[in-house]
Amino acid sequence: MKRLSILTLTGVVTSLFFFGALSSCKPPKKDSGLSADAASKVYVAPGKKDEIYLFTSGGFSGQIGVYGLPSGRMLKQVPVFSQDAETGYGFSEETKPMLMTSHGFTPWDDSHHPQLSRTEGQDDGRWLFINANNTPRIARIDLGVFKTREIIELPNCGGNHASPFTTQNNEYVVGASRFSVPYDKDGDQEIASYKDKFKGTISFIKVDKETGRMGINFQLLVPGVDYDLSRAGKAASHGWVFFSCYNSEKAHTLLEVNASQRDKDFIMAVNWKKAEEYLSQGKGMKWPTNYAHNVYDEATHTATSTMMKEVTVLDVKDLPGVCYFIPCPKSPHGCDVDPTGEYICASGKLAAVIPVYSFSKIQKAIEAKNFDGDFDGVPVIKYEAALDGEVEKPGLGPLHTEFDNEGHGYTSFFVSSEIVKWDVKTKQVLDRVPTYYSIGHLCVPMGDNIKPFGKYVIALNKITKDRYLPTGPELTQSAQLYDITGEKMKLLLDFPTIGEPHYAQACPAEIITKHEVKFYKLADNKHKYAATNEKEAKVVREGNNVHVYMTSIRSHFTPDNIEGVKVGDNVYFHVTNLEQDWDVPHGFAVKGANNSELLILPGETSTLKWVPDRPGVFPMYCTDFCSALHQEMQGYVRVSPAGTNPALKFSTGE
């Protein structure tokens, strides 16, 4: 009876609520957090273009997502560390070398942190770098064509997370090891020897100012902790780079408990100009190693993979003045430098404050040797000696900070699911807005530049329950756009992203578009198997290799009838797109191929390898809609049994 009375009462209350809602014709509203003018601020009319490019990491997809802001429209997915059937990246013979590593062909990775190239501390729109966390690599994307043009593997590196943050003028792209590992010649060490045998490394990768070509200049051998995130100094702190470090306990099991014992972990401050001095004095050790350096040649439209055999290593414990530790609330994630380069803030995930360090005070502490001992031979600067102040009670679970051009920091809080705005000089909290839900990184356009663009902050969230239509057990990955032009932040837009977004970079579109390439000039095509006009199209047999020099143009292939191929032959379709117009790609596929199709851009040559496994006549066709007669853009390959001797014939229009 008691249960019945409760249910009855509940029903009455529900009925009254429902009746009241109907009688007023105003159903109860769920607070979306949106500002009243949100729709008008994100609306981009048909035929108009977005103001800003947003580049998000693809996380476990291994790719990069490109979006327009403020609309949130996805413009492109750039394949980087994973094969991509849409473009043929990692499937074509030209791009397979891009995915070679010291472990062999590695067609996947976990990408976290895109980073735009810089000139005088400002995004210059030429290149975008991104890290591979699993098999340690750094890639360079050419933003003239939005394609991956170089990938370099990082040797002596157990995972690559604090990467690939650039210095003020791209002098270096840096990458630090997430997981410390043994670096003796015999890496087979007991895991329990972590405290004695395990070390980390930081790679300093030179970037050619004209071509962007990368090369490892040196590595630092550093104490065996985990290196999480990084920022290079700028302006006042140019010449330094800062890394967050966790697991100063040097735990090797159940880190969620064993790596949270100390009240403080560290920020590591690295004087890379001092390291260069030691390097010039011959202090580096030559370590034999194997790592892949993969480069795509624009002239030949072909990538090559070179296995490098040596790297120069500097051991920081033997080189005074290169590295210093600064105590930081435990388990720090973000390590961020404000636009002036004076303030370095750290985000201890388990802390109730955000410490903000002063670069000037750090220099004075070093000069006065105001140290609290050392950690593995690296001096530890006293916390109070480096500290400018603390942002108190900002929220729960601070992760990452970016800045606007008015002296404000914006910090993401994972546990309390919010963005908090605070004053860099006074350390006072000014505003906070909820995110939906469990924000990780955030991004302010050019928010890590000397002169931020500002205007928006973008939240990159980990959970999206109740924000989108359901898609099974996993929901879409998510970003949110907030207006920061006023005193108070205002939510404008939710939009899905490819998964899983970690960090993002954003800048005005004009910085990128001034470098755009609309098509490849046929006259500059130096591909070994290019047919730059239909008269050069042919089929050539070399043993059991058959090379098809093929052209594509609206709306036919040359040749489109091929005979003389045998079962077991290696057939290479070298397809050159003869179009010389913007946005006219052609696709190519052949029945029975066990890789992907090709997407060949105007003026480009790309190669599909096919090994026929049975006799017959096999259709081939264009996969990318190119004209009203796209369906007619097709042909046939006849395959004869192995051991026969069919005549090699090819034609178009006969």
Side-chain angles (χ1 to χ4, degrees):
M1 291 296 293
K2 186 176 182 180
R3 182 183 178 193
L4 179 61
S5 64
I6 292 173
L7 289 173
T8 303
L9 180 60
T10 303
V12 170
V13 172
T14 302
S15 299
L16 287 172
F17 177 81
F18 184 61
F19 176 77
L22 284 177
S23 63
S24 66
C25 296
K26 293 181 179 180
K29 294 182 179 180
K30 179 181 179 181
D31 183 12
S32 67
L34 288 173
S35 61
D37 58 348
S40 64
K41 288 190 174 184
V42 300
Y43 180 67
V44 178
K48 300 297 182 180
K49 298 175 183 177
D50 281 289
E51 178 185 16
I52 289 172
Y53 277 108
L54 175 73
F55 301 94
T56 69
S57 68
F60 44 66
S61 77
Q63 317 294 38
I64 283 177
V66 184
Y67 301 83
L69 294 180
S71 73
R73 297 179 295 193
M74 185 174 184
L75 306 175
K76 189 177 182 66
Q77 179 171 297
V78 180
V80 185
F81 298 114
S82 297
Q83 289 176 298
D84 180 62
E86 180 182 352
T87 61
Y89 179 83
F91 289 103
S92 74
E93 295 305 294
E94 288 80 5
T95 57
K96 283 180 181 177
M98 294 298 290
L99 300 180
M100 292 300 296
T101 73
S102 60
H103 301 278
F105 186 70
T106 308
W108 170 84
D109 219 299
D110 181 21
S111 59
H112 283 212
H113 306 123
Q115 177 75 66
L116 288 161
S117 57
R118 301 280 161 75
T119 300
E120 296 181 358
Q122 297 296 106
D123 296 338
D124 59 28
R126 292 185 294 169
W127 309 303
L128 183 74
F129 303 94
I130 184 126
N131 68 315
N133 187 31
N134 186 65
T135 302
R137 289 172 282 176
I138 290 176
R140 177 176 58 86
I141 294 90
D142 183 341
L143 292 179
V145 293
F146 282 71
K147 285 194 169 189
T148 303
R149 287 304 184 234
E150 186 175 12
I151 297 178
I152 191 166
E153 188 178 3
L154 304 186
N156 307 314
C157 184
N160 174 38
H161 193 259
S163 169
F165 301 101
T166 59
T167 56
Q168 186 166 296
N169 289 292
N170 301 325
E171 294 95 343
Y172 289 108
V173 173
V174 300
S177 52
R178 175 180 175 181
F179 312 104
S180 291
V181 294
Y183 290 121
D184 291 348
K185 291 182 180 179
D186 179 11
D188 179 18
Q189 302 288 338
E190 291 184 359
I191 297 173
S193 69
Y194 188 111
K195 290 185 178 182
D196 299 321
K197 296 289 187 180
F198 287 44
K199 296 288 185 181
T201 59
I202 301 174
S203 300
F204 284 78
I205 299 160
K206 278 279 191 182
V207 180
D208 185 273
K209 292 183 179 180
E210 300 300 324
T211 65
R213 183 75 174 257
M214 299 186 293
I216 299 175
N217 196 34
F218 62 92
Q219 291 184 314
L220 296 180
L221 187 65
V222 291
V225 296
D226 295 64
Y227 296 84
D228 199 353
L229 283 172
S230 173
R231 282 293 185 202
K234 57 175 74 78
S237 53
H238 178 51
W240 289 72
V241 63
F242 306 92
F243 298 85
S244 61
C245 316
Y246 65 98
N247 191 23
S248 55
E249 296 86 351
K250 295 192 173 185
H252 58 79
T253 183
L254 197 62
L255 265 64
E256 67 172 333
V257 174
N258 294 323
S260 300
Q261 301 298 307
R262 295 163 58 102
D263 287 337
K264 287 184 170 62
D265 284 304
F266 297 116
I267 296 299
M268 173 180 269
V270 178
N271 184 341
W272 57 261
K273 289 191 175 182
K274 188 70 173 179
E276 285 184 327
E277 292 178 14
Y278 284 119
L279 190 68
S280 67
Q281 295 167 12
K283 300 291 186 180
M285 303 173 286
K286 300 294 184 182
W287 279 15
T289 187
N290 287 295
Y291 66 97
H293 188 188
N294 310 328
V295 180
Y296 186 93
D297 187 295
E298 292 283 359
T300 64
H301 299 191
T302 303
T304 56
S305 180
T306 304
M307 196 60 64
M308 311 300 287
K309 298 296 183 181
E310 188 178 71
V311 68
T312 302
V313 178
L314 297 167
D315 190 339
V316 299
K317 68 177 173 49
D318 300 326
L319 305 173
V322 172
C323 287
Y324 300 91
F325 281 124
I326 307 168
C328 173
K330 62 184 174 183
S331 299
H333 186 60
C335 178
D336 301 286
V337 181
D338 90 307
T340 70
E342 170 62 19
Y343 301 107
I344 302 101
C345 65
S347 299
K349 299 193 297 290
L350 304 180
V353 299
I354 300 174
V356 180
Y357 305 103
S358 161
F359 181 71
S360 299
K361 288 187 175 182
I362 291 170
Q363 298 307 299
K364 290 178 181 178
I366 291 171
E367 185 177 355
K369 300 188 183 304
N370 199 351
F371 302 141
D372 190 9
D374 69 85
F375 183 88
D376 277 14
V378 175
V380 178
I381 298 172
K382 288 184 178 179
Y383 181 68
E384 294 77 10
L387 189 69
D388 187 74
E390 295 176 336
V391 183
E392 295 186 358
K393 298 181 180 179
L396 299 176
L399 291 186
H400 178 65
T401 301
E402 294 222 332
F403 304 90
D404 64 17
N405 59 347
E406 296 181 353
H408 303 133
Y410 299 80
T411 302
S412 56
F413 288 81
F414 178 81
V415 178
S416 53
S417 289
E418 60 183 336
I419 297 173
V420 174
K421 175 182 176 182
W422 51 278
D423 187 286
V424 174
K425 288 188 177 180
T426 68
K427 317 298 183 289
Q428 297 299 306
V429 171
L430 303 175
D431 189 25
R432 61 180 72 238
V433 291
T435 60
Y436 305 93
Y437 304 95
S438 295
I439 180 175
H441 282 265
L442 50 67
C443 168
V444 172
M446 302 177 77
D448 59 346
N449 283 214
I450 287 177
K451 296 179 181 178
F453 179 78
K455 193 169 185 178
Y456 304 110
V457 62
I458 302 98
L460 302 164
N461 300 330
K462 303 300 184 185
I463 299 173
T464 59
K465 288 180 180 179
D466 79 20
R467 303 299 286 186
Y468 300 98
L469 288 172
T471 51
E474 185 194 20
L475 302 178
T476 182
Q477 310 294 320
S478 172
Q480 294 185 293
L481 182 71
Y482 295 80
D483 182 349
I484 60 171
T485 56
E487 289 186 8
K488 299 295 183 181
M489 295 176 281
K490 296 179 180 179
L491 176 61
L492 300 179
L493 180 70
D494 286 20
F495 59 99
T497 67
I498 63 169
E500 173 202 0
H502 287 260
Y503 180 48
Q505 290 262 275
C507 70
E510 61 190 19
I511 293 176
I512 307 294
T513 55
K514 65 184 179 182
H515 301 288
E516 74 178 358
V517 174
K518 293 188 174 181
F519 56 85
Y520 298 101
K521 295 179 181 179
L522 278 172
D524 296 336
N525 188 331
K526 306 301 180 185
H527 192 287
K528 182 179 179 181
Y529 296 102
T532 57
N533 59 70
E534 292 189 355
K535 292 180 180 180
E536 295 176 356
K538 59 186 176 181
V539 181
V540 176
R541 174 177 285 281
E542 297 175 354
N544 68 336
N545 295 325
V546 177
H547 294 277
V548 181
Y549 296 69
M550 179 178 283
T551 64
S552 62
I553 196 167
R554 288 166 286 185
S555 298
H556 65 274
F557 295 110
T558 303
D560 65 2
N561 281 196
I562 301 170
E563 299 186 37
V565 173
K566 296 181 288 186
V567 171
D569 279 344
N570 298 310
V571 183
Y572 296 91
F573 294 95
H574 309 287
V575 187
T576 302
N577 183 345
L578 298 183
E579 308 285 356
Q580 293 287 267
D581 193 7
W582 193 17
D583 195 29
V584 189
H586 288 295
F588 178 81
V590 60
K591 182 179 182 292
N594 59 5
N595 47 17
S596 84
E597 52 94 49
L598 299 177
L599 184 70
I600 312 105
L601 301 183
E604 185 180 40
T605 300
S606 191
T607 302
L608 178 75
K609 181 182 178 181
W610 175 49
V611 183
D613 62 354
R614 66 198 69 175
V617 175
F618 294 82
M620 58 185 183
Y621 66 103
C622 177
T623 55
D624 192 271
F625 200 97
C626 55
S627 72
L629 296 177
H630 165 72
Q631 287 293 98
E632 285 75 12
M633 192 168 176
Q634 63 186 55
Y636 296 98
V637 183
R638 175 189 168 195
V639 177
S640 299
T644 61
N645 193 27
L648 194 63
K649 298 189 294 184
F650 55 93
S651 63
T652 297
E654 295 180 10

